[in-house]
Amino acid sequence: ACVCACVRACVCVTFAVCVTPEYIGSVASEDRDKMIETLNEVAAELIKENIQTQVTRGETGERIVNVAGCPCPCGGTHVKSTGEIVSMTVKRMKKNKKNMKVSYTL
């Protein structure tokens, strides 16, 4: 579930060369390579499924983009479906205080 949520949040952002979102929590350094591999596999699967996104409004009127049932704040530009992304590759994960930075390219 954690892996899918991370990837689904990543696919909310598109049309960028390199994006580095931060996630609360950590992944042990010895587990990061396996996590990156898993994230890339799940991303490829979500892209292949060509899942439609849905835009809704939050409690205070903010736009929320739902990707495969996983909501994330709308940052402005988003895809109509995951198939528009074509490819996504997680490059690295880095610990930053209490958060993990996940770098990927689209």
Side-chain angles (χ1 to χ4, degrees), residues 65-82:
V65 179
N66 293 284
V67 180
C70 182
C72 63
C74 177
T77 303
H78 59 275
V79 295
K80 293 179 183 175
S81 69
T82 58

Side-chain angles (χ1 to χ4, degrees), residues 10 13-21 92 101-106:
C10 290
V13 182
T14 189
F15 306 123
V17 175
C18 183
V19 181
T20 309
R92 69 184 185 132
K101 285 189 173 187
V102 179
S103 299
Y104 62 94
T105 56
L106 300 174

Side-chain angles (χ1 to χ4, degrees), residues 11 14 16 40 43-44 47 82-90 104-106:
V11 298
T14 189
N40 285 322
I47 291 167
T82 58
E84 290 183 18
I85 295 170
V86 181
S87 74
M88 178 180 137
T89 304
V90 176
Y104 62 94
T105 56
L106 300 174

Side-chain angles (χ1 to χ4, degrees), residues 22-40:
E22 290 189 21
Y23 300 93
I24 298 170
S26 65
V27 175
S29 57
E30 63 270 13
D31 297 331
R32 290 183 193 154
D33 286 341
K34 180 62 178 164
M35 178 63 83
I36 288 170
E37 181 182 326
T38 302
L39 287 170
N40 285 322

